[in-house]
Amino acid sequence: MIQKPKGTRDILPDESYKWQYIEAKVQELFKNYGYKEIRVPVFENTELFQRGVGDTTDVVQKEMYTFDDKGGRSITLRPEGTAGVVRAYIENGMASLPSPIKVWYNMAMYRYENVQKGRLREFHQIGAEVFGTSSYMADVESITMANEIFKILNIPNIQLTINSIGCPTCRAEYQKALKKFLEKNIDQYCYTCQTRFEKNPMRILDCKEEKCKSLNQGAPIILDYLCDECKTHFENVKKLLTEIGISYEVDPGIVRGLDYYTKTVFEFISKEEGYTVLAGGRYDGLVKELGGADTPALGFALGMERIVEIYEKYNKENMVEPEIPKLYIAQIGEKANSLATILVKELREKGINVQKDITEKSIKAQFKYADKINSKYVLTIGEDEINNNRAKLKNMKTGEEKEIELNVEDILKNID
Ligand code: ATP
Ligand code: MG
């Protein structure tokens, strides 16, 4: 038997309804915040991610699914959503839309990761991006919307942590100090960190190797090096968050795994699972870096696999029910089949979940099946019923039986 590739998952019917529920809730929330959906290609030119995500990041150096297509172009399956969305924003002239421009997406992502709990090679992210505002108010609105996701899904024990990683101006000073700190022990760091020392020393702070993590203890923190503008921006973000009652912790250790971030970065961490469910931040330099006009922007992405897992954990009692059929029309004989076929068609057109046999089962097997799929009602049609234009409708929960007329109106009246 051919098995699925390592790091991929099937989302089966007994799980997909939970995904749909979460997606619908989140999309409704995004709509109220003024976001509209954007869909971009699964694959892009590799250069987009090298430039966008940054060629010293783990994502670009180790995790991309990159291949040459038959025309000899280097193609990469998207490892994240922002770079593609920014490309689409620039390429389609979206800058001319009324600002700020708010878009959301729900897409599969591909990363060649070490597969473990909560870490897959194909996974799904819902993300939200805002273009055209450098104001701290946008940071707070984005964080508020992210925070709201956990509330509407009834997920507790989520910790919001924020940080500011400054802008190129303050980073220059900081990197000098950081390099001075790292230099002393650089030969003890892992090979990847050593290669990043010159080009992108801040990346070293995000290394997942235990050895490097302990060497990083006591490193200078960027918060101490913020320029006046970045400092004020961060103070304003914190002040407004406090004013509107959103609690947060400042974690000077957050640097994020993608190079494009500037100023505010944030993560929502599940305290029990110990992993980040949602992460994002400001990326004021990215639109320009990818060839657009200088445009401030920010956004976040949440991991669907992780949020579904936590959602299930906390909502055992009041879990959304999968859709069950309202009515099953059982039939005996060819004439009954014709009538049942017409009735289900018309009822379905009216938006009712109604089922009938399409496997040529015996009547007994049909009743058994109706019971197994939890149909609320069963209507039984045979030759006599057709002649009298009346049939028995059984309420499967109470066992109560009732004779009704064999037409759509009477059926609708009697199934609630
Ligand atoms: P980490 O440092 O944990 O690797 P990251 O910086 O790569 O994180 P992002 O790219 O910001 O993470 O992804 C945002 C969210 O998407 C994560 O918080 C997580 O919920 C989810 N996510 C990221 N990578 C994976 C994966 N391989 N499998 C499942 N979910 C993922
Ligand atoms: Mg990662």
Side-chain angles (χ1 to χ4, degrees), residues 106-171:
N106 179 7
M107 311 194 289
M109 306 297 168
Y110 301 87
R111 294 184 195 177
Y112 194 77
E113 298 250 25
N114 282 324
V115 177
Q116 47 189 284
K117 189 175 138 60
R119 212 169 267 290
L120 293 154
R121 290 184 176 170
E122 181 188 62
F123 61 99
H124 300 80
Q125 287 184 335
I126 295 185
E129 321 278 1
V130 192
F131 296 95
T133 166
S134 57
S135 170
Y136 71 95
M137 295 176 201
D139 306 41
V140 172
E141 189 180 86
S142 181
I143 292 171
T144 306
M145 185 168 85
N147 190 59
E148 208 64 30
I149 293 173
F150 301 99
K151 278 209 235 158
I152 59 173
L153 295 176
N154 190 31
I155 298 175
N157 297 331
I158 298 287
Q159 172 69 53
L160 164 63
T161 53
I162 61 171
N163 190 25
S164 173
I165 55 171
C167 64
T169 312
C170 31
R171 235 180 260 171

Side-chain angles (χ1 to χ4, degrees), residues 178-187 189 197:
L178 182 61
K179 271 178 137 172
K180 215 165 154 196
F181 170 86
L182 297 169
E183 204 167 40
K184 293 177 292 195
N185 295 318
I186 193 64
D187 50 336
Y189 278 88
F197 177 74

Side-chain angles (χ1 to χ4, degrees), residues 17-76:
Y17 75 93
K18 295 169 208 160
W19 284 63
Q20 288 175 355
Y21 173 79
I22 292 171
E23 286 165 352
K25 282 286 213 182
V26 171
Q27 286 166 26
E28 170 83 12
L29 175 77
F30 286 2
K31 185 197 73 187
N32 293 342
Y33 274 80
Y35 285 74
K36 291 183 182 152
E37 189 183 5
I38 186 165
R39 301 186 188 196
V40 296
V42 170
F43 58 88
E44 297 271 2
N45 291 313
T46 301
E47 196 193 347
L48 175 70
F49 302 113
Q50 287 168 337
R51 288 222 334 244
V53 177
D55 51 15
T56 54
T57 58
D58 274 354
V59 169
V60 170
Q61 287 188 323
K62 303 176 183 172
E63 298 171 0
M64 293 207 304
Y65 279 90
T66 299
F67 58 94
D68 285 345
D69 72 6
K70 292 190 201 308
R73 305 168 192 88
S74 182
I75 294 292
T76 295

Side-chain angles (χ1 to χ4, degrees), residues 59 63 79-80 111 113 118-125 206 208 256-258 261 267-268 276-280 301-306:
V59 169
E63 298 171 0
E80 59 98 55
R111 294 184 195 177
E113 298 250 25
R119 212 169 267 290
L120 293 154
R121 290 184 176 170
E122 181 188 62
F123 61 99
H124 300 80
Q125 287 184 335
D206 199 34
K208 310 280 191 289
R256 307 287 309 114
L258 315 167
Y261 287 111
E267 296 191 350
F268 286 78
T276 304
V277 196
L278 183 155
L302 73 86
M304 272 302 287
E305 280 77 5
R306 295 186 192 183

Side-chain angles (χ1 to χ4, degrees), residues 106-331:
N106 179 7
M107 311 194 289
M109 306 297 168
Y110 301 87
R111 294 184 195 177
Y112 194 77
E113 298 250 25
N114 282 324
V115 177
Q116 47 189 284
K117 189 175 138 60
R119 212 169 267 290
L120 293 154
R121 290 184 176 170
E122 181 188 62
F123 61 99
H124 300 80
Q125 287 184 335
I126 295 185
E129 321 278 1
V130 192
F131 296 95
T133 166
S134 57
S135 170
Y136 71 95
M137 295 176 201
D139 306 41
V140 172
E141 189 180 86
S142 181
I143 292 171
T144 306
M145 185 168 85
N147 190 59
E148 208 64 30
I149 293 173
F150 301 99
K151 278 209 235 158
I152 59 173
L153 295 176
N154 190 31
I155 298 175
N157 297 331
I158 298 287
Q159 172 69 53
L160 164 63
T161 53
I162 61 171
N163 190 25
S164 173
I165 55 171
C167 64
T169 312
C170 31
R171 235 180 260 171
E173 270 310 297
Y174 173 62
Q175 289 199 345
K176 262 190 236 160
L178 182 61
K179 271 178 137 172
K180 215 165 154 196
F181 170 86
L182 297 169
E183 204 167 40
K184 293 177 292 195
N185 295 318
I186 193 64
D187 50 336
Q188 292 177 54
Y189 278 88
C190 72
Y191 175 74
T192 312
C193 283
Q194 294 192 23
T195 64
R196 289 169 178 175
F197 177 74
E198 281 305 331
K199 239 183 137 180
N200 195 350
M202 263 173 84
R203 273 275 71 83
I204 297 177
L205 299 179
D206 199 34
C207 184
K208 310 280 191 289
E209 300 268 339
E210 286 309 322
K211 181 86 199 292
C212 304
K213 277 201 221 164
S214 70
L215 286 167
N216 283 337
Q217 298 284 328
I221 59 171
I222 181 118
L223 282 181
D224 295 334
Y225 291 82
L226 294 185
C227 65
D228 286 346
E229 192 203 317
C230 288
K231 209 183 277 172
T232 307
H233 185 95
F234 195 47
E235 288 308 318
N236 283 334
V237 169
K238 289 191 291 182
K239 185 159 167 271
L240 188 52
L241 282 176
T242 306
E243 276 169 12
I244 63 172
I246 294 183
S247 46
Y248 59 86
E249 258 173 31
V250 175
D251 177 356
I254 303 182
V255 290
R256 307 287 309 114
L258 315 167
D259 271 354
Y260 48 63
Y261 287 111
T262 52
K263 290 185 176 160
T264 319
V265 288
F266 53 92
E267 296 191 350
F268 286 78
I269 300 159
S270 160
K271 286 190 247 180
E272 259 161 70
E273 309 300 323
Y275 55 42
T276 304
V277 196
L278 183 155
R282 188 167 266 290
Y283 49 88
D284 288 344
L286 184 58
V287 179
K288 192 166 179 206
E289 172 66 33
L290 292 178
D294 205 353
T295 309
L298 68 153
F300 65 76
L302 73 86
M304 272 302 287
E305 280 77 5
R306 295 186 192 183
I307 209 160
V308 171
E309 185 172 303
I310 315 179
Y311 169 78
E312 279 184 305
K313 197 162 161 179
Y314 288 109
N315 289 278
K316 284 216 172 70
E317 308 291 283
N318 54 348
M319 193 66 138
V320 272
E321 293 290 334
E323 167 87 6
I324 52 164
K326 200 156 242 186
L327 175 68
Y328 185 89
I329 302 185
Q331 67 198 37

